[in-house]
Amino acid sequence: MVPWRSSRTQGSSSGSTPGSMGPSSPPSDTSALSSGDDSGSDFEATARPCGKRGRQQGPDQSHVRKCPRMTEPNGGCSSASTVNPEPNTLFEAIKSAKIAMETVVVDWLETYKRDRETGFLELINFIVCSCGCQGVVTPQMFRDLQNSEIIQQLTEQFKEDSSEYPLSLNTRPWRRFRDGFCELLTAVVQRCQYSIIYDEFLMGSLISFLISLTDSQVRAFRHTSTLAGRQHPWVAPLRHPMAGVLAPTSTVVVAMKVMSALVKVALGVSVQQENNLRQYEAERSKGPGRRATEKLEALMVKRRELREQQEEIENMMNAIFKGVFVHRYRDVVPDIRAICMEELGTWMKTYAASFLTDSYLKYIGWTLYDKQGEVRLQCVKALQGLYGHRDTAANMELFTRRFKTRMVSMVLDKELSVAVEVVKLLTLMLENMGEALTDEDCQSVYPIVFVANRPLAAAAGIFLYRRLLDPQQGAGMDASYDRDNRAFFQVLLTFFIEIELHEHAAYLVDSLWDCAGPRLRDWETISALLLEESPAEGLGDQQEKALVEILAASVVQATEGQPPVGREPAKKPSSRERKAQMEERIRLTHCLIPALPKLLGKFSADADKAAPLLEVLCCFDLSIYCTGRLEKYLVLVLEQLEEVVQKHTEQTVLEAASRALHALCDPELALQRHGDRVRSRLADQLADKFNQEVTEMLQALSLDDEEAYSMAATLKRISILFNAHDLTRWQLFDPCTQLLQRAVDTGEVPPQVLVPTITCLYFHILWEVSSLPTTDVPEEQLQSLKTKVITTCSLSHSCLSDVDSGVREQVHRDLEGWEEMEPALMAGPSLCSQAFRVLSDLLLVLGPQLAEDGREELAPLVLRPDAELQSQLAAFLMDHVFYPTCNQEELLATENSESRIEELHQRRVLLAGFCKLIIYGVLELSAASDVFKHYTKIDRQEWARTLLLSLQQLMTELLHQEGPNFRMTEAFPDIRDLARRFSLFFSLHKLRSRPLLVNIHKEGILFAFQKIPGLEPELPPLNLPFLEVLSEFSPWVLGPDKALLLTYLDKVTQEQLGVLAPGDTGQWQSLVTYRNSLQPQDGGGTGASSRGAAPTPHPTKRRRLEAPPQAPDSSPRPSTHPSSPALTSTMLRGDPRPPQLSPRLLLSGSILSSPQQQLHDPAVQSGPPPEGVGRGGARGRAERRRGGRGGQGLPLGRL
């Protein structure tokens, strides 16, 4: 018989192969795994020269031979590759998807049995056709040519510009074709496993041809995309910039799928061998009289046959592994490396006896250090399949010892998806490998429960629960038998206290909610633990405080179902989930109503414990007080609430009490009269005390410390209650104005008294404005309110400057010793800052829009700032917002970083208040010059996010106004033009703007694919046209970053849409446009498809581009130029009026409530400076469009 042709006779040499990343030494901790005979090493031996059909020498062959051919009966075929005159039968059958796969395979087997060369060529041409090649392999080519020569002739028939690449097309039929393609290869091997695969022709020739294809440097075989879920099915494949040296991805997939099918066959043969051996031993163990000699001989013959089959299959698998895997697992294309790791994990899990050895595990260990997150992710998932079973995990001891440090460190992986899977992997190791993880290893995972990413935190919560909180559950015991959760809470409290993150109980509860939710909802046990008085069994002060915080966080989580601030919002709850939340609210209300008065009575003196308990009250179903005949507990709770208000001056406690009292005073409650009575009693007491103190102060010559402290405490309670309750009928306006006037005249009143005083004036005006009738407003009421407004603005204006040195010295003398007396009164904004907030809010609420929409009679209340006030507001902004900050060394030396964060927040609030006045037309646009002249001091990341936010707000506004078809309106091109103008800001300094542009694209992609509740799954996302707006920023993105952004786009598309397919190409035009904008523009082998790139400009346009630019707003695409882009805000443009600040809705205690949209700020690791950057102007743009290398750089390390 003629031997198989070697698959390595195509000129392969030692070292790296085409598409390989080159030889690189593995990490230093893998010496034990790589010791011994490494016939499967990733470094090839130098290929031995051989003849056309020379037989390879040596029993341990690295590659499979090509089988002998049968002479075709008719003979006589063309010696060159020709275009296929008739369609391939297998290709058409799989493409049509109308014939059952079993029938297709049976028909092909019949063809193969009649003429195996014809059948084999049909299979080979099916693979070639699936790669998009128009040529065929003829019988004469197959007999006379080597594989490399065949591939060379096929290359000549490959149309490089053709878009007919079956494995990369994205319509529904071609997605079915991809699935059928892999299914056919698996089915062929499975159906041939008993005879045909051992005929020394089919598998040998197929493997030899596939290995030759994987070593090919022909670009034509590299344009097909990765299969089997490597990316979203209908997303176009990623064109890698190094495509000129890539291996054919589809061929790698074919080889890996064939290998996987062979592994299953080998496993079946191994099982048959075990059964045969068991039957043989059973027969031989019989006595001489009962033993059947013929049966023993038959079993021996079967045993030898199975051993030969096992050897042949192992030779085939060894050929594929050494010919494909050891070269492609380090390919420059991340998708190919990921495929190799995924399939290797499948082999190990399917046939552990052969593949679960250190010689194979080392490849996964080495690839854990891969730079691409997708490759690391597949490695981790492969390890999950091995550590997920005790029998396979027992064989992982050496691997665990060598790579455990790397796996533990990957919990901080920059790719969140990888970090999530790593934590799950460590959880499997914890369950199935006993003591593999030390306490030090676990300490690296515990803090992850506090991270902002919820999937990662939830995975860490499961690890924490299995390791520390419920080890019996991890050992296999049912948690339902543990009726007492006291031990659970004791361990949880110890962990929470020792972790020293006491202000993050909500994050801890949210992380544990999925795995320990039933335990955290054990309200009876929590209340019993808190009410215990026994010194031996009771909790300590720290434990009580921590348990109260956990109780409050658990109640909020159970009733609202929303993650804490900073974590991504949860999906909209279903009707079943809402029903479960309502049932849980009712249950916890019944459980905690009797216990809450006792808890408040025990902890009312402790502000840190009283505030969370009052938050619990707000989560009750308050109607149960009436329906359950629990009125006595309501009276007790109101008594404790009143006592808390009288005892404390802390902001958090008073705000919690105010919100709880507001809930109990709801007019819809049947027992609302009890809340009204307590509120009236509190207001009477505070008003009487305040009036008395003001009278005494006005009559006294000076104000001592005790009197000032008492007045500050009273005013703080009043101002916080005023935020949520209408206290205007207690007539507090006049005493407050007298107090402020005294401070302005003499400067003897400390700011801790003046800040709540000016706040009370502000809320008094707001409550009166909100109570005005819609029509026929009495003139006396208008004049009275106008007088109060003018008085408040005048006093606030006086407090705004506060530059008199005598006043400051007196204030400093008054403040001596106040921090020791009551630190809570020292907290809060300064007097001038509060005055600025009051002025900006009053100017906004009482702006020109107040007298619009049929309310012209309110025109006397409209405030119009004069030039002096505008100048004073601008001067305040310069002094208190844009003042010079400390340098980096002073910042690092600052011990109290929280105070600096709070200071930065306050400065942003002040700046937002000033900008609102400009946006809503209260101040002229020229007033913004005071902001713009500090433009260079603005943080570039925040500035870029602000530009993106403005575009997102315009898009959302247009969607609300025009509906889903807003893309066809005239306003949509205006948004694109505004984006184009914004993009020009990034054209001057490309290196500095590189991370900003990447972040804009990433956040814009996430916005475009936001899921809208109630949207049909067949329809594209409503925000998808935002990708066209985002494409205006693409010309300034460097080439390598475009490739990585395409990968990120594919990832987000798959995560958000799953396997969704476009029903209409027009609906997905925005996605096509955006992908085209990210395609590299050169044709010099960057891997971009000609059909995916932008068309080449005409010569006339090229000459025009090479001319000097005529205007700074030149753009690669023409668009409409509006006279002036519309200013946007957090409000819709259709209703330019500012929000009506109803005091009843202002429950946060903040004067200036400006909603801020928090965008994710992923860290971007920039590479070294790219070469060739700096070609600006029209010539540079023209060169980039013609394929020049200017402006390209190294890819960002993190996307």
Side-chain angles (χ1 to χ4, degrees):
M1 297 181 69
V2 181
W4 301 340
R5 285 182 288 184
S6 171
S7 63
R8 311 303 296 169
T9 58
Q10 325 304 334
S12 58
S13 60
S14 62
S16 58
T17 58
S20 173
M21 296 175 67
S24 59
S25 59
S28 59
D29 61 350
T30 60
S31 57
L33 289 177
S34 58
S35 60
D37 184 16
D38 192 12
S39 60
S41 171
D42 54 343
F43 299 103
E44 295 182 71
T46 305
R48 295 178 293 275
C50 59
K52 179 178 179 181
R53 289 180 181 161
R55 186 184 302 274
Q56 292 187 357
Q57 303 297 326
D60 185 14
Q61 298 182 10
S62 298
H63 310 290
V64 182
R65 301 170 298 170
K66 195 170 183 179
C67 287
R69 279 77 166 167
M70 293 181 59
T71 305
E72 186 183 12
N74 298 330
C77 286
S78 172
S79 60
S81 172
T82 60
V83 177
N84 193 358
E86 59 183 14
N88 184 272
T89 306
L90 293 177
F91 185 87
E92 293 299 325
I94 300 300
K95 178 182 176 182
S96 64
K98 296 180 180 179
I99 307 176
M101 187 62 63
E102 188 71 16
T103 304
V104 175
V105 175
V106 170
D107 293 344
W108 177 83
L109 282 177
E110 293 178 356
T111 302
Y112 182 83
K113 290 176 181 178
R114 289 195 303 267
D115 187 345
R116 65 180 185 179
E117 184 176 284
T118 302
F120 176 76
L121 289 179
E122 184 177 359
L123 181 62
I124 288 296
N125 286 322
F126 165 69
I127 296 175
V128 172
C129 189
S130 299
C131 292
C133 182
Q134 302 297 322
V136 295
V137 181
T138 63
Q140 185 171 353
M141 292 171 57
F142 183 64
R143 297 189 196 100
D144 300 339
L145 301 179
Q146 293 289 333
N147 285 333
S148 60
E149 298 170 339
I150 293 175
I151 295 172
Q152 181 62 35
Q153 293 201 16
L154 289 175
T155 304
E156 298 173 358
Q157 298 296 330
F158 196 101
K159 296 181 180 181
E160 188 75 12
D161 296 333
S162 174
S163 61
E164 297 299 324
Y165 299 131
L167 299 182
S168 62
L169 295 178
N170 304 314
T171 58
R172 184 168 307 191
W174 292 114
R175 289 200 312 278
R176 290 197 300 263
F177 176 83
R178 281 194 291 271
D179 298 335
F181 178 81
C182 296
E183 185 181 354
L184 175 67
L185 296 174
T186 304
V188 166
V189 177
Q190 292 294 329
R191 288 300 300 264
C192 300
Q193 62 178 318
Y194 299 109
S195 60
I196 296 180
I197 62 173
Y198 307 111
D199 65 355
E200 297 185 350
F201 177 79
L202 174 64
M203 296 306 299
S205 301
L206 177 62
I207 292 172
S208 177
F209 187 76
L210 292 178
I211 292 175
S212 299
L213 280 179
T214 59
D215 287 340
S216 173
Q217 292 187 358
V218 179
R219 181 184 179 189
F221 295 104
R222 292 193 293 269
H223 277 187
T224 52
S225 65
T226 310
L227 297 183
R230 301 311 318 152
Q231 62 183 19
H232 194 279
W234 59 270
V235 176
L238 171 66
R239 277 27 176 191
H240 197 281
M242 300 267 313
V245 295
L246 297 187
T249 307
S250 60
T251 309
V252 174
V253 175
V254 173
M256 295 296 100
K257 293 300 177 182
V258 171
M259 178 73 167
S260 298
L262 288 175
V263 169
K264 294 180 180 179
V265 174
L267 178 61
V269 174
S270 177
V271 172
Q272 294 181 30
Q273 283 183 309
E274 294 177 0
N275 295 335
N276 177 270
L277 180 60
R278 186 167 54 254
Q279 294 174 3
Y280 179 81
E281 295 295 338
E283 189 66 29
R284 195 176 64 172
S285 63
K286 296 179 181 179
R290 301 175 56 192
R291 184 183 303 167
T293 307
E294 296 81 2
K295 186 175 182 179
L296 285 175
E297 292 178 356
L299 290 173
M300 286 296 297
V301 172
K302 183 65 174 178
R303 185 177 180 182
R304 287 193 295 269
E305 180 183 351
L306 290 175
R307 186 182 297 112
E308 291 175 358
Q309 291 179 358
Q310 188 76 15
E311 291 177 357
E312 287 200 43
I313 294 176
E314 289 182 354
N315 287 336
M316 298 175 193
M317 294 190 301
N318 188 48
I320 296 178
F321 188 84
K322 293 182 179 180
V324 179
F325 181 88
V326 297
H327 305 293
R328 301 280 72 82
Y329 90 95
R330 51 185 182 150
D331 199 280
V332 295
V333 180
D335 282 343
I336 294 180
R337 303 200 299 272
I339 292 172
C340 293
M341 292 300 107
E342 181 183 15
E343 296 299 326
L344 179 59
T346 303
W347 307 337
M348 291 179 176
K349 187 177 178 180
T350 304
Y351 193 15
S354 180
F355 286 94
L356 192 58
T357 61
D358 296 335
S359 59
Y360 291 100
L361 283 169
K362 64 183 180 183
Y363 294 105
I364 294 182
W366 292 345
T367 317
L368 286 174
Y369 295 86
D370 196 280
K371 293 182 179 180
Q372 294 296 325
E374 178 65 18
V375 183
R376 298 194 302 273
L377 180 62
Q378 293 303 327
C379 291
V380 174
K381 287 185 176 180
L383 292 175
Q384 288 178 356
L386 302 178
Y387 283 103
H389 301 85
R390 290 185 180 275
D391 51 350
T392 55
N395 300 322
M396 304 283 291
E397 293 183 0
L398 178 59
F399 179 87
T400 304
R401 186 164 61 252
R402 294 299 183 186
F403 293 101
K404 183 183 69 173
T405 303
R406 171 59 180 167
M407 289 187 288
V408 173
S409 66
M410 289 176 69
V411 299
L412 301 178
D413 196 278
K414 62 184 179 181
E415 296 290 342
L416 294 177
S417 58
V418 178
V420 171
E421 298 301 327
V422 169
V423 175
K424 293 179 180 178
L425 172 63
L426 296 178
T427 304
L428 294 175
M429 294 174 60
L430 189 66
E431 296 175 352
N432 298 317
M433 290 201 67
E435 302 299 328
L437 296 177
T438 63
D439 292 339
E440 183 179 357
D441 298 330
C442 297
Q443 291 293 338
S444 301
V445 185
Y446 293 157
I448 305 298
V449 297
F450 298 102
V451 299
N453 182 264
R454 193 180 190 279
L456 180 57
I462 297 175
F463 180 89
L464 173 65
Y465 185 70
R466 294 285 186 267
R467 170 72 178 186
L468 198 62
L469 302 179
D470 191 18
Q472 292 82 9
Q473 175 76 6
M477 296 181 63
D478 191 352
S480 61
Y481 292 102
D482 186 9
R483 300 298 183 183
D484 189 1
N485 284 332
R486 289 174 176 265
F488 167 79
F489 284 110
Q490 291 283 0
V491 178
L492 179 61
L493 293 176
T494 303
F495 166 78
F496 187 44
I497 293 173
E498 291 180 353
I499 204 69
E500 296 182 353
L501 293 172
H502 305 158
E503 298 180 358
H504 298 78
Y507 294 88
L508 177 62
V509 169
D510 184 57
S511 301
L512 294 172
W513 197 253
D514 296 337
C515 57
R519 292 180 179 269
L520 293 170
R521 292 192 294 269
D522 189 356
W523 318 116
E524 295 87 351
T525 301
I526 297 178
S527 57
L529 283 172
L530 290 173
L531 291 174
E532 283 182 352
E533 298 292 346
S534 174
E537 300 180 1
L539 304 177
D541 181 69
Q542 275 191 321
Q543 291 177 319
E544 289 177 341
K545 176 184 175 183
L547 187 55
V548 168
E549 293 177 356
I550 291 175
L551 170 63
S554 300
V555 169
V556 173
Q557 188 78 16
T559 55
E560 298 180 1
Q562 294 294 327
V565 177
R567 286 188 176 168
E568 59 268 25
K571 62 179 181 179
K572 185 178 180 180
S574 61
S575 58
R576 179 178 299 180
E577 291 173 341
R578 289 194 298 269
K579 181 180 179 181
Q581 291 175 5
M582 289 300 301
E583 293 175 352
E584 187 61 34
R585 182 190 296 268
I586 294 173
R587 190 179 75 86
L588 72 87
T589 302
H590 280 290
C591 292
L592 295 179
I593 276 181
L596 188 58
K598 300 176 183 178
L599 292 173
L600 284 173
K602 182 178 179 180
F603 302 119
S604 61
D606 192 335
D608 293 333
K609 301 169 187 175
L613 290 175
L614 292 172
E615 294 291 347
V616 169
L617 178 60
C618 297
C619 297
F620 282 0
D621 185 356
L622 299 177
S623 62
I624 295 179
Y625 277 111
C626 179
T627 58
R629 297 184 179 182
L630 302 173
E631 186 175 352
K632 61 178 182 179
Y633 294 110
L634 177 60
V635 175
L636 293 175
V637 164
L638 287 171
E639 291 177 357
Q640 295 297 332
L641 188 149
E642 184 177 0
E643 184 179 350
V644 167
V645 173
Q646 293 172 352
K647 282 183 178 179
H648 295 282
T649 57
E650 288 82 357
Q651 184 88 9
T652 56
V653 181
L654 293 176
E655 288 178 352
S658 178
R659 284 191 291 268
L661 185 59
H662 179 269
L664 293 173
C665 293
D666 190 350
E668 297 182 359
L669 288 179
L671 300 178
Q672 175 249 354
R673 64 183 185 279
H674 295 286
D676 283 343
R677 185 164 52 248
V678 172
R679 178 172 60 185
S680 299
R681 187 163 57 244
L682 275 174
D684 288 339
Q685 295 173 359
L686 293 174
D688 293 343
K689 186 177 181 180
F690 174 61
N691 288 324
Q692 181 181 358
E693 290 172 344
V694 170
T695 302
E696 294 177 356
M697 186 206 69
L698 295 177
Q699 295 176 357
L701 297 178
S702 61
L703 188 67
D704 57 19
D705 291 343
E706 292 184 2
E707 294 175 349
Y709 167 77
S710 177
M711 182 177 293
T714 303
L715 278 169
K716 188 168 187 179
R717 295 186 181 101
I718 294 175
S719 63
I720 293 177
L721 285 176
F722 225 150
N723 193 358
H725 305 271
D726 186 1
L727 304 181
T728 54
R729 61 191 177 96
W730 276 269
Q731 300 297 324
L732 299 175
F733 188 86
D734 291 338
C736 289
T737 54
Q738 294 174 8
L739 186 60
L740 270 179
Q741 192 62 50
R742 172 69 178 271
V744 171
D745 295 339
T746 63
E748 296 176 353
V749 184
Q752 278 64 35
V753 175
L754 299 179
V755 169
T757 302
I758 197 172
T759 304
C760 290
L761 294 176
Y762 168 75
F763 283 124
H764 189 101
I765 292 175
L766 284 187
W767 280 111
E768 287 204 9
V769 171
S770 64
S771 63
L772 290 175
T774 55
T775 57
D776 299 332
V777 182
E779 185 67 24
E780 297 81 4
Q781 186 177 0
L782 274 180
Q783 291 300 325
S784 175
L785 181 56
K786 182 178 180 181
T787 303
K788 293 177 181 178
V789 169
I790 294 175
T791 302
T792 303
C793 291
S794 176
L795 292 174
S796 300
H797 191 187
S798 302
C799 296
L800 188 65
S801 56
D802 191 19
V803 294
D804 183 65
S805 59
V807 173
R808 292 185 179 273
E809 292 178 1
Q810 179 65 33
V811 166
H812 285 300
R813 287 195 300 269
D814 292 340
L815 292 181
E816 292 179 359
W818 269 57
E819 289 193 25
E820 299 179 359
M821 183 182 303
E822 186 58 54
L825 294 178
M826 297 297 298
S830 62
L831 174 61
C832 53
S833 298
Q834 191 71 356
F836 180 85
R837 295 185 186 186
V838 169
L839 280 173
S840 58
D841 270 7
L842 287 179
L843 289 172
L844 186 65
V845 174
L846 304 177
Q849 82 289 337
L850 182 66
E852 297 176 357
D853 296 338
R855 305 194 69 183
E856 290 77 7
E857 54 187 334
L858 299 182
L861 296 179
V862 175
L863 284 178
R864 292 180 175 83
D866 54 15
E868 181 183 359
L869 180 57
Q870 294 188 34
S871 175
Q872 193 69 32
L873 291 174
F876 177 86
L877 203 67
M878 300 301 104
D879 295 338
H880 294 81
V881 176
F882 295 116
Y883 60 84
T885 58
C886 60
N887 54 33
Q888 187 68 17
E889 296 180 357
E890 294 177 351
L891 183 60
L892 294 176
T894 304
E895 297 181 358
N896 192 359
S897 59
E898 293 184 2
S899 62
R900 288 205 165 273
I901 295 175
E902 180 64 24
E903 178 190 0
L904 179 60
H905 173 70
Q906 297 297 334
R907 292 167 59 190
R908 289 176 175 175
V909 169
L910 296 176
L911 179 59
F914 185 83
C915 293
K916 276 185 179 182
L917 298 177
I918 299 174
I919 291 173
Y920 289 107
V922 179
L923 299 180
E924 296 293 336
L925 187 60
S926 59
S929 62
D930 294 315
V931 179
F932 292 155
K933 66 185 180 182
H934 291 83
Y935 173 77
T936 57
K937 301 179 182 179
I938 299 177
D939 180 74
R940 290 178 59 82
Q941 291 283 357
E942 294 293 337
W943 167 74
R945 275 192 223 101
T946 303
L947 295 183
L948 180 64
L949 178 60
S950 63
L951 296 173
Q952 291 173 347
Q953 291 172 348
L954 282 175
M955 178 69 71
T956 303
E957 175 187 342
L958 188 60
L959 175 62
H960 289 171
Q961 292 177 350
E962 304 293 341
N965 296 325
F966 66 90
R967 183 172 172 267
M968 309 305 296
T969 62
E970 296 181 357
F972 184 71
D974 294 344
I975 300 178
R976 290 196 61 175
D977 186 76
L978 179 61
R980 181 188 62 82
R981 292 171 181 263
F982 283 166
S983 70
L984 297 178
F985 294 139
F986 303 95
S987 62
L988 298 179
H989 305 285
K990 292 184 178 179
L991 286 181
R992 292 178 59 190
S993 303
R994 189 179 188 185
L996 306 180
L997 284 170
V998 171
N999 286 344
I1000 286 177
H1001 278 271
K1002 289 182 63 179
E1003 295 173 4
I1005 291 171
L1006 293 177
F1007 175 78
F1009 285 97
Q1010 277 184 353
K1011 295 182 179 179
I1012 306 299
L1015 182 66
E1016 297 181 6
E1018 294 81 7
L1019 297 178
L1022 293 180
N1023 293 335
L1024 191 68
F1026 189 75
L1027 292 178
E1028 296 188 41
V1029 179
L1030 205 61
S1031 66
E1032 301 294 342
F1033 295 88
S1034 299
W1036 315 116
V1037 179
L1038 300 184
D1041 296 343
K1042 289 183 177 180
L1044 295 181
L1045 283 172
L1046 281 170
T1047 303
Y1048 183 78
L1049 176 65
D1050 297 344
K1051 177 182 177 182
V1052 172
T1053 305
Q1054 182 175 7
E1055 290 177 353
Q1056 298 295 331
L1057 302 181
V1059 295
L1060 182 63
D1064 180 15
T1065 306
Q1067 293 180 339
W1068 302 89
Q1069 184 61 39
S1070 300
L1071 178 60
V1072 176
T1073 301
Y1074 181 62
R1075 289 193 62 86
N1076 290 342
S1077 72
L1078 292 178
Q1079 297 291 350
Q1081 297 297 320
D1082 68 12
T1086 63
S1089 173
S1090 59
R1091 60 190 176 93
T1096 306
H1098 297 288
T1100 56
K1101 293 184 178 180
R1102 183 180 305 167
R1103 286 193 297 270
R1104 184 176 59 186
L1105 285 172
E1106 291 175 353
Q1110 300 296 327
D1113 59 348
S1114 60
S1115 173
R1117 58 170 289 277
S1119 60
T1120 307
H1121 296 263
S1123 58
S1124 61
L1127 294 175
T1128 61
S1129 68
T1130 56
M1131 303 296 295
L1132 296 181
R1133 189 169 55 187
D1135 186 8
R1137 295 172 299 173
Q1140 298 295 329
L1141 300 181
S1142 173
R1144 186 173 297 274
L1145 301 179
L1146 298 175
L1147 302 180
S1148 62
S1150 173
I1151 298 298
L1152 181 62
S1153 54
S1154 58
Q1156 298 178 358
Q1157 179 174 355
Q1158 298 180 356
L1159 297 177
H1160 178 55
D1161 184 13
V1164 178
Q1165 177 184 355
S1166 300
E1171 298 179 359
V1173 177
R1175 298 182 183 180
R1179 182 178 298 275
R1181 289 192 296 273
E1183 291 178 0
R1184 285 193 294 273
R1185 284 178 173 265
R1186 292 195 302 270
R1189 308 297 292 185
Q1192 291 199 5
L1194 299 178
L1196 292 176
R1198 178 175 184 184
L1199 274 178

